Amino acid sequence: MLNKELISAGFPTLGPNDTVHAALNLMRENDVSQMVVVASDKYEGIVFEDDLLNLNEDMVMKDIPNYFSRVAVNDERHFLEAVQSSIQYNLSMVPVINKANDYSGVILKDELLEHVGKMIGAGMPGGIIELAMPVHDYSSAEIIKLVETNDAQITQLNTYWDTESEQLIVTLKVNKFEISDIVSTFQRYDYNVRYYFGEELYKNELKDNFDHLMTYLSI
C-alpha cells in the first residue's frame, strides 16, 4: 500500500501567519504533538509541541523557521517508509508530499498501526510461534515444510535481526490454534522456540481424571 492511500483527508494545517498559541490549541484539539506548516500548498515543515511551549505564544510560524523539521515521506512510496519515520522521529502523524514538494496530507499514527497489524496478520485466527536462530541457519523452505508436515499452513512469516542476541527472529502465524505438534517438531529439529501462543493439542490427563472423579462423587 502506498502512502497516498492512507492520507487522512481534511486534517488541519498551520499557515505562515498562524501563532504559536493557535498551533498549540490545534494540537490539543486533535490529540497530536506536531502540526504541519503549509504555505501556498508547499510543505514548509512540522513544528513540535515541546518546542512551541518554550516560545512566546504571539509569535507566528513565518518567524520561527529554525524550529521546523523537514521530515516527510513521498506519496508514491510504500507506507512502511511512513512507519519508519513515525518511529524514528516519534511522530503522531507523518507528513506526505509529492516530488514537487506539494503538500498531500498526513498519515496518522493510529492508521499506520492498523495497517501494520493487517500486514502481519494480527487479526487472523491461529497460533503464533517465535523462533531464534543464526542468520546462516535460516531457511524459509524448511520452516514451511516442518509446519506443513503437521497439517498446517503459515499465513504470515516475518523476520527481524535482534542486535542484542545477534540472532534472526522469525515469527510465524499458522492457521490453527493447536500447535503443540508443530512446536515439538521444531524442537526435534533443534530449533530454538522462544515463545508460542495457541492451545494445547493434548488434554491434561491428570485434570481429566480429576474431573471424572468429581463427576462420579456428585452422583
Side-chain angles (χ1 to χ4, degrees):
M1 182 167 284
L2 302 181
N3 287 321
K4 64 182 180 182
E5 299 177 79
L6 297 181
I7 290 174
S8 295
F11 199 84
T13 62
L14 299 170
N17 295 312
D18 283 319
T19 64
V20 169
H21 177 75
L24 291 171
N25 279 342
L26 273 178
M27 290 179 188
R28 283 190 284 268
E29 290 171 6
N30 292 278
D31 194 26
V32 294
S33 52
Q34 303 88 31
M35 286 298 296
V36 172
V37 183
V38 178
S40 302
D41 295 326
K42 295 293 184 182
Y43 176 65
E44 296 294 315
I46 56 174
V47 288
F48 288 78
E49 182 181 28
D50 288 345
D51 292 331
L52 298 188
L53 288 171
N54 296 317
L55 300 176
N56 187 312
E57 289 195 342
D58 294 326
M59 297 181 72
V60 295
M61 295 299 107
K62 65 182 179 182
D63 293 333
I64 57 169
N66 290 340
Y67 289 91
F68 293 0
S69 170
R70 296 287 297 172
V71 59
V73 294
N74 185 274
D75 58 1
E76 295 290 342
R77 300 295 294 271
H78 194 273
F79 86 95
L80 284 181
E81 183 178 288
V83 173
Q84 177 61 34
S85 293
S86 176
I87 295 170
Q88 184 175 353
Y89 299 102
N90 193 26
L91 301 178
S92 51
M93 59 182 181
V94 181
V96 183
I97 59 176
N98 65 16
K99 290 182 179 180
N101 199 48
D102 296 321
Y103 174 69
S104 301
V106 297
I107 307 175
L108 299 177
K109 188 175 183 177
D110 288 347
E111 189 78 7
L112 291 174
L113 183 60
E114 178 183 344
H115 280 80
V116 167
K118 290 179 180 178
M119 188 181 73
I120 64 175
M124 297 178 65
I128 298 173
I129 302 171
E130 185 173 287
L131 310 172
M133 66 195 70
V135 67
H136 55 76
D137 287 345
Y138 173 68
S139 169
S140 60
E142 181 175 80
I143 290 172
I144 292 170
K145 179 181 177 181
L146 294 178
V147 171
E148 291 180 346
T149 58
N150 290 282
D151 297 321
Q153 291 184 327
I154 295 175
T155 56
Q156 291 290 334
L157 189 156
N158 298 284
T159 65
Y160 73 91
W161 177 253
D162 182 27
T163 54
E164 185 174 338
S165 65
E166 296 188 340
Q167 288 193 309
L168 186 70
I169 306 301
V170 183
T171 305
L172 313 174
K173 187 76 172 281
V174 298
N175 65 342
K176 66 178 188 178
F177 285 106
E178 297 175 340
I179 58 174
S180 299
D181 283 354
I182 301 174
V183 171
S184 295
T185 299
F186 278 123
Q187 292 172 336
R188 191 164 61 250
Y189 280 79
D190 294 326
Y191 279 85
N192 176 14
V193 180
R194 298 217 312 172
Y195 309 106
Y196 60 95
F197 306 92
E199 297 176 356
E200 290 299 321
L201 178 58
Y202 305 112
K203 294 181 179 179
N204 185 319
E205 188 174 336
L206 182 61
K207 181 179 182 303
D208 198 35
N209 290 338
F210 176 78
D211 290 340
H212 281 109
L213 174 61
M214 294 306 294
T215 301
Y216 173 77
L217 293 175
S218 65
I219 294 175

